[in-house]
Amino acid sequence: MGPSHALSGASVWLAGSWAANHFAGYEQSPLAVGVGAVVCAGAALLPDLDLSGKVTRNQGGATVARTFGVFSLFAAEVIEKVSLGIYSASRMPRDPRRTNGHRTFTHTLVFAGGIGWGTALLCARYGKWAVLGVMFLMAGLALRGLFDRWAERAGWLIVTLTSALVALLTATHLPGGRGYPMLGVAVGVGCVVHLFGDMITRSGVPLLWPIPLGARTWRMIGVPDGIAIRAGGPGEIFVLRGLFTMIAALAVVAMFAPGVLQDIDLDAWAGG
Ligand SMILES: [Zn+2]
């Protein structure tokens, strides 16, 4: 699911930037749009950092947990255990007992909003230094998701060095002001995109925690099994990824090279 999550994050951000420009006159530089798309793609993988592996043997965990080698595997272990703690402490009698924290706290709107808001605050307060840190983490996740085969072949050290370079370039070139809080928005939006992605696959997510629904604080919300998409199945890979890529490409062209779209003679296509 990694590449689909990352692709959906990037395309939602690009389409949203186009819409904000087209309908509300909110203009962004190509750099700002690109940075937002990378952050949103990375954040669309962030909730799965709760899938822990075996740190001591350096294996297991979600693809994202291996982004920064054993360091992110360790982080995933901690995030999983903390999530399990939050689950156990806030569950109601009808919520099942769990021994693993995957798809709990990091898969809620509260988490998405909190981490987005926290990122925005951090960037507003610490400026370039915060941008450096946020970009480093998000670029790593985005590379791992968007270029999964390359990342697998290159190994975590190359991914880490590339992320550091992207972070450095962003911190030195992205102007402050509204560009910085926008990173927080991109992180929050990316997490929400992940939640919707998980909801259309079978298991659903505890989206509305801690609001009790049917005497459960951890009610799983998702689409019915009949129309759910099988994770990794041909439906997901060909249809969804193709669709997201097309949306992303169209949004970029519409924003930065609108002439291209006008030049395509639709009548000629229709008339053959
Ligand atoms: Zn997930």
Side-chain angles (χ1 to χ4, degrees):
M1 277 293 275
S4 300
H5 278 308
L7 252 182
S8 62
S11 68
V12 164
W13 189 261
L14 293 171
S17 297
W18 170 80
N21 184 8
H22 190 77
F23 297 111
Y26 186 85
E27 261 186 69
Q28 296 179 85
S29 68
L31 174 72
V33 172
V35 165
V38 169
V39 171
C40 201
L45 293 168
L46 196 58
D48 276 351
L49 264 184
D50 67 348
L51 198 53
S52 62
K54 296 275 176 289
V55 176
T56 45
R57 278 181 282 150
N58 195 10
Q59 54 184 222
T63 337
V64 295
R66 293 198 296 268
T67 305
F68 302 108
V70 76
F71 303 102
S72 46
L73 266 180
F74 177 71
E77 188 87 37
V78 172
I79 292 168
E80 188 259 301
K81 293 291 178 291
V82 169
S83 302
L84 181 62
I86 295 171
Y87 179 90
S88 302
S90 65
R91 80 180 181 94
M92 290 172 81
R94 288 176 76 176
D95 288 309
R97 255 176 223 289
R98 296 184 63 126
T99 54
N100 187 292
H102 178 49
R103 279 199 176 186
T104 57
F105 179 61
T106 60
H107 286 66
T108 62
L109 285 178
V110 169
F111 174 82
I115 198 103
W117 187 63
T119 303
L121 275 188
L122 218 60
C123 291
R125 188 163 156 89
Y126 296 103
K128 275 194 195 320
W129 290 105
V131 172
L132 203 61
V134 170
M135 254 342 257
F136 173 65
L137 290 175
M138 293 305 145
L141 294 179
L143 285 171
R144 188 86 220 191
L146 293 174
F147 307 109
D148 57 329
R149 294 222 179 89
W150 168 79
E152 199 69 51
R153 256 184 293 125
W156 70 270
L157 194 60
I158 301 286
V159 173
T160 303
L161 291 175
T162 312
S163 312
L165 186 68
V166 172
L168 205 64
L169 288 175
T170 306
T172 45
H173 289 92
L174 185 72
R178 66 179 194 178
Y180 288 0
M182 198 51 107
L183 295 184
V185 178
V187 167
V189 170
C191 289
V192 172
V193 170
H194 179 99
L195 299 185
F196 283 109
D198 276 358
M199 280 166 69
I200 61 168
T201 60
R202 265 162 217 278
S203 323
V205 297
L207 193 70
L208 296 177
W209 175 86
I211 301 169
L213 296 169
R216 290 183 61 180
T217 36
W218 294 94
R219 158 84 60 198
M220 295 288 169
I221 299 174
V223 301
D225 272 2
I227 53 169
I229 294 163
R230 198 160 50 86
E236 182 212 20
I237 290 172
F238 294 110
V239 180
L240 283 184
R241 289 185 198 177
L243 193 70
F244 287 134
T245 308
M246 216 167 70
I247 292 172
L250 270 179
V252 168
V253 170
M255 269 186 287
F256 302 118
V260 174
L261 285 183
Q262 276 151 19
D263 288 345
I264 297 174
D265 190 346
L266 291 175
D267 292 335
W269 284 72

